[in-house]
Amino acid sequence: MSEETAFKIQLGLTLPKIKEKLGNELHAIVEELALMFRSGNTESDDDVSADLEAIKAIFLKDMDIYLDKEVIPVLKTSLAPEPEESSSEDAQPEEAATDEEAGEPE
């Protein structure tokens, strides 16, 4: 896929859907993370941008883990081609072999 196509998909599909469907929830999660981060910060540092970069890094890592553990495995399963079913002719010799193994006469 070309970079231009990927960029169009990102701007035209992915980002608008994230904003529409997840925007408020993501904002609330990041805000809660920021409050926890700030309460654990013992330094009286007025530079909020350093905190925000750390918060962003934590959140993005969590999203990466979530995608790897929850989304990608399900997607991989749903996109995998279905295995071909064996024909009835293939099943008959196996049944015959099973009968012979059991010592049953033909």
Side-chain angles (χ1 to χ4, degrees):
M1 178 183 314
S2 74
E3 284 186 37
E4 182 180 334
T5 302
F7 186 69
K8 285 179 181 179
I9 290 171
Q10 180 183 11
L11 290 180
L13 176 71
T14 309
L15 290 175
K17 286 199 181 275
I18 289 172
K19 186 176 181 178
E20 174 190 340
K21 296 180 183 259
L22 304 173
N24 291 335
E25 288 82 1
L26 289 176
H27 181 82
I29 292 168
V30 173
E31 187 174 21
E32 185 177 347
L33 179 59
L35 291 172
M36 287 173 51
F37 192 87
R38 292 297 283 174
S39 69
N41 191 354
T42 57
E43 299 175 16
S44 61
D45 193 7
D46 290 335
D47 184 15
V48 176
S49 62
D51 291 346
L52 294 178
E53 285 302 314
I55 291 164
K56 178 181 174 182
I58 291 168
F59 182 79
L60 290 175
K61 182 63 179 169
D62 287 342
M63 287 301 298
D64 191 44
I65 291 168
Y66 179 77
L67 287 171
D68 286 346
K69 300 258 185 209
E70 302 293 331
V71 177
I72 299 300
V74 172
L75 189 59
K76 196 180 283 188
T77 301
S78 71
L79 294 177
E82 298 202 16
E84 294 181 23
E85 294 182 25
S86 61
S87 67
S88 60
E89 293 175 5
D90 293 339
Q92 288 175 355
E94 290 176 14
E95 290 174 11
T98 306
D99 292 343
E100 290 174 11
E101 291 172 3
E104 296 179 19
E106 292 180 11

